[in-house]
């Protein structure tokens, strides 16, 4: 594992094999460990939000889901770039989860989001052992019901796709009450199924990429000037 500081946000960088092996360890240690997929919009939001930045730092594994993040970190190896663009960590991990028949629980912050993650995961692996789903958000009673449902199912893996703020709430407020071994967080604007983005989505992504490149370059220049 290599520690990287990008735009003032400390990140953990692991090779593909190392990160997959670490997840296998998590699946046997009896504690709830976290994996966060990092994309550019999430980094841009974290840059100006200390709460999000701290949450990312506390993750057990961070996985880069965009080639421009790697390039900004000075990682240019072709295989690493390809792995980031094709989300190889996610597809490989889902394959392992499917092969070993690990139980999976899906969470989103809306019914629409839940339908989307189910559809996208079906596109990648249609044979996951999904034992339950839940919508977790701002209603404490509904959230408590989701936690109870998780604990009655006792899944090995939780896959959550939502806004980062909602996942942060679950991981800080309810983490100690969850009976599972790994939670994988996927940003809601991470395209995991190679679907075609809408014109609006592409426009928003371009803005995020411009802000990211400018901020990353500015941060590196400030470091150079300081030395």
């Amino acid at each position: 594992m290599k520690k990287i500081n990008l735009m003032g946000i400390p990140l953990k960088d692991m090779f593909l094999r190392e990160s997959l092996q670490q997840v296998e360890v998590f699946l046997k240690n009896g504690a709830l460990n976290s994996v966060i997929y990092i994309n550019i919009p999430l980094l841009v939001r974290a840059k100006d939000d200390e709460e999000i930045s701290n949450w990312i730092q506390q993750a057990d594994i961070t996985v880069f889901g965009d080639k421009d993040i790697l390039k900004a970190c000075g990682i240019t190896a072709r295989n690493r770039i390809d792995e980031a663009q094709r989300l190889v960590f996610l597809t490989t991990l889902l394959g392992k989860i499917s092969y070993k028949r690990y139980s999976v629980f899906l969470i989103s912050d809306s019914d629409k989001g839940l339908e989307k993650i189910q559809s996208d995961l079906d596109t990648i692996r249609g044979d996951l052992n999904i034992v339950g789903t839940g919508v977790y958000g701002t209603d404490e009673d509904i959230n408590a019901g989701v936690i109870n449902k998780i604990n009655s199912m006792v899944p090995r893996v939780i896959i959550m796709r939502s806004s980062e703020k909602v996942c942060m709430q679950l991981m800080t407020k309810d983490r100690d009450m969850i009976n599972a071994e790994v939670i994988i967080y996927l940003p809601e604007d991470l395209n995991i199924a190679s679907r075609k983005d809408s014109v609006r989505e592409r426009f928003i992504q371009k803005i995020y990429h411009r802000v990211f490149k400018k901020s990353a370059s500015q941060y590196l220049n400030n470091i150079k000037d300081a030395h």
Side-chain angles (χ1 to χ4, degrees):
M1 182 182 72
K2 180 181 178 182
K3 293 185 178 181
I4 295 173
N5 195 304
L6 183 59
M7 299 189 302
I9 305 169
L11 301 170
K12 305 178 186 77
D13 176 49
M14 291 184 179
F15 288 111
L16 176 63
R17 179 180 295 181
E18 181 185 8
S19 57
L20 290 169
Q21 288 175 340
Q22 190 61 55
V23 173
E24 287 289 345
V25 172
F26 293 161
L27 287 164
K28 299 172 185 175
N29 69 7
L32 181 60
N33 296 99
S34 60
V35 178
I36 296 180
Y37 239 102
I38 306 291
N39 65 348
I40 282 177
L42 178 57
L43 277 180
V44 170
R45 292 190 288 268
K47 178 179 70 72
D48 298 317
D49 190 317
E50 187 176 357
E51 189 179 11
I52 299 175
S53 177
N54 289 337
W55 171 66
I56 292 173
Q57 293 176 50
Q58 292 165 7
D60 297 296
I61 295 177
T62 50
V63 183
F64 303 149
D66 193 294
K67 65 180 181 180
D68 287 335
I69 298 175
L70 291 174
K71 290 178 179 178
C73 294
I75 301 170
T76 57
R78 186 176 297 177
N79 66 311
R80 296 294 309 279
I81 298 296
D82 183 61
E83 287 167 5
Q85 285 300 98
R86 296 195 297 114
L87 306 181
V88 174
F89 171 84
L90 179 63
T91 55
T92 305
L93 180 58
L94 291 177
K96 288 179 177 290
I97 290 171
S98 172
Y99 177 75
K100 296 192 175 183
R101 302 306 296 160
Y102 289 146
S103 50
V104 178
F105 194 96
L106 303 182
I107 301 179
S108 187
D109 52 9
S110 68
D111 290 323
K112 185 176 180 180
L114 201 54
E115 290 176 7
K116 184 178 179 183
I117 187 175
Q118 287 181 288
S119 174
D120 285 353
L121 290 176
D122 279 344
T123 300
I124 302 171
R125 294 292 311 195
D127 54 355
L128 291 174
N129 180 25
I130 298 173
V131 296
T133 63
V135 175
Y136 183 100
T138 57
D139 188 302
E140 290 190 3
D141 291 335
I142 292 176
N143 293 347
V146 173
I147 301 303
N148 289 336
K149 189 175 180 182
I150 292 172
N151 292 336
S152 68
M153 299 290 184
V154 195
R156 301 291 295 278
V157 179
I158 295 172
I159 301 177
M160 185 169 187
R161 192 180 198 182
S162 67
S163 71
E164 58 269 15
K165 292 287 188 178
V166 170
C167 189
M168 286 163 54
Q169 177 183 330
L170 181 141
M171 290 301 293
T172 54
K173 183 178 179 182
D174 294 326
R175 180 172 188 156
D176 292 340
M177 295 187 289
I178 296 174
N179 194 352
E181 291 163 327
V182 176
I183 179 167
I184 303 165
Y185 172 70
L186 306 174
E188 58 187 349
D189 43 17
L190 178 70
N191 188 345
I192 66 172
S194 300
R195 61 179 174 78
K196 187 175 180 180
D197 289 331
S198 67
V199 173
R200 180 177 180 276
E201 287 172 328
R202 290 198 299 272
F203 176 72
I204 293 172
Q205 287 290 332
K206 284 182 179 179
I207 292 175
Y208 272 121
H209 274 72
R210 285 177 191 161
V211 172
F212 171 76
K213 288 181 178 179
K214 181 179 179 181
S215 298
S217 176
Q218 201 170 52
Y219 181 77
L220 290 174
N221 289 335
N222 290 341
I223 291 177
K224 290 177 182 178
D225 291 343
H227 290 82

